[in-house]
């Protein structure tokens, strides 16, 4: 169970970082293409987190 918990924590950190990169707190805005790539990456993270949550 500890591995699943750690995996979920890692995925939440990835989501937090991704949201920060798209936020207004950044000095430089992401390009449209960078944003689309990041959204696809974050969707994969969410799918993996859902799979981990199902293991609990």
């Amino acid at each position: 169970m500890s591995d699943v918990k750690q995996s979920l924590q890692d995925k939440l950190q990835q989501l937090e970082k991704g949201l920060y990169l798209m936020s207004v707190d950044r000095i430089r805005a992401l390009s449209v293409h960078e944003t689309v790539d990041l959204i696809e990456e974050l969707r994969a993270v969410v799918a993996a987190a859902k799979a981990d949550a199902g293991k609990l």
Side-chain angles (χ1 to χ4, degrees):
M1 177 105 105
S2 175
D3 292 339
V4 173
K5 182 179 175 183
Q6 182 61 45
S7 179
L8 282 171
Q9 287 177 338
D10 293 343
K11 287 171 182 60
L12 287 172
Q13 287 176 346
Q14 286 180 288
L15 288 171
E16 183 178 39
K17 180 181 177 187
L19 290 171
Y20 170 75
L21 291 174
M22 290 188 290
S23 74
V24 296
D25 297 332
R26 296 254 313 165
I27 294 172
R28 181 186 76 82
L30 294 176
S31 69
V32 172
H33 129 271
E34 288 173 314
T35 302
V36 169
D37 289 347
L38 180 57
I39 289 169
E40 292 305 315
E41 180 182 326
L42 294 178
R43 282 182 174 167
V45 170
V46 169
K50 284 181 177 180
D52 285 348
K55 296 176 186 176
L56 294 177

